[in-house]
Every structure is written in structure tokens, then in C-alpha cells.
């Protein structure tokens, strides 16, 4: 059986649907999870969200031991989390970083993601459809 795809979400993404809808849309995180599960088909998805950096690092460690791929939207931790970067650098499989907004069109402090240094690929600016693209990409990479 194939190892699961870990879909990890960072701070404030639990507020999707109501958080700055002009930037992030009105889709909730529960709806994003359903989209990911649909996109994965028969593949197992481990879908999680936390506002705590240490918890995300622990989930990456879990994925190192049990996962086949990681799709990660580290949200605000993208731009300053060395611990997340270091944990991702240990992961042997594909990693796709997802951002709902186009971080390159945002304020300067949103334009340089440290997480991108460990990512196999980066998807940004496609809204929540970026998750579907990421799931499709990593599913092909771990065949």
C-alpha cells in the first residue's frame, strides 16, 4: 500500500472562509480538506492544521517516518520558520508548498518563503485550487 500524503496547514488557516475573503476567498478549511480527499482518489490523506510551529514540525517528523509526500501551506510561518525548513529538509519524498494568494504580488515581507528552499515545487495564486494541483503533482511523483 502507498504511504499517505500529508497535507499540513499553518497558522490562521483554520479561519479560512471568513479571514480576509478578498485575498483568501470564502472556502473553509473543511471544504479544502474535502477537495484534497477528492483529488487524492484512493490515496490516503493525513490532513492537519495548527497555529503552533512545534506541532507542524512534529507532523513533518511523522511524515518522515510514515509519509510518501507532503503538501504544505505553512502560511505566516513560511517567511521565518527555520525549524520547519530544517524538518522539511529531512523528508526524502516530494514536497509541494502551497499558497492560496500569489505571495509575489503581496507586500515585501510575504515574498520570500524559507520553506521554498526545501520544496520540490511551489504553487501560489491559484486559490484553494492550488491544493488540488499539489495533490495531483505529488501523487504522480510517488507512483
Amino acid at each position: 500500500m502507498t504511504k499517505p500524503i500529508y497535507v499540513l496547514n499553518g497558522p490562521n488557516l483554520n479561519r479560512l472562509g471568513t479571514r480576509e475573503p478578498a485575498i483568501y476567498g470564502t472556502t473553509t478549511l473543511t471544504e479544502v480538506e474535502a477537495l484534497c480527499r477528492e483529488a487524492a482518489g484512493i490515496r490516503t490523506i493525513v490532513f492537519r492544521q495548527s497555529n503552533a510551529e512545534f506541532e507542524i514540525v512534529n507532523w513533518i517528523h511523522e511524515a518522515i517516518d510514515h509519509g510518501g509526500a507532503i503538501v504544505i501551506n505553512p502560511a505566516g510561518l513560511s517567511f521565518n520558520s527555520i525549524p520547519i525548513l530544517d524538518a522539511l529538509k529531512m523528508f526524502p519524498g516530494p514536497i509541494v508548498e502551497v499558497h492560496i494568494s500569489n505571495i509575489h504580488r503581496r507586500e515585501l515581507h510575504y515574498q520570500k518563503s524559507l520553506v521554498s528552499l526545501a520544496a520540490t515545487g511551489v504553487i501560489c495564486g491559484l486559490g484553494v485550487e492550488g491544493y488540488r494541483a499539489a495533490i495531483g503533482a505529488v501523487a504522480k511523483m510517488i507512483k
Side-chain angles (χ1 to χ4, degrees), residues 5-113:
I5 298 169
Y6 278 69
V7 181
L8 306 178
N9 296 279
N12 299 312
L13 291 172
N14 57 311
R15 305 298 297 179
L16 283 178
T18 58
R19 174 189 180 209
E20 299 179 88
I23 296 172
Y24 301 106
T26 56
T27 305
T28 67
L29 191 62
T30 300
E31 292 169 324
V32 171
E33 180 177 2
L35 178 153
C36 289
R37 292 190 186 285
E38 176 191 327
I42 61 168
R43 292 191 181 277
T44 302
I45 295 284
V46 175
F47 191 94
R48 297 186 178 145
Q49 185 279 328
S50 181
N51 294 319
E53 179 183 51
F54 78 91
E55 195 161 35
I56 295 167
V57 169
N58 286 339
W59 292 335
I60 295 167
H61 291 174
E62 181 181 315
I64 291 166
D65 296 334
H66 305 291
I70 295 175
V71 171
I72 184 167
N73 182 343
L77 294 172
S78 306
F79 314 104
N80 61 15
S81 180
I82 298 294
I84 289 177
L85 170 62
D86 286 346
L88 287 170
K89 285 166 55 177
M90 291 185 270
F91 186 73
I95 301 165
V96 175
E97 178 183 3
V98 174
H99 295 281
I100 294 169
S101 69
N102 181 349
I103 61 173
H104 304 292
R105 294 186 71 188
R106 308 264 322 261
E107 300 87 345
L108 281 176
H109 55 275
Y110 290 121
Q111 292 181 14
K112 182 154 174 69
S113 169

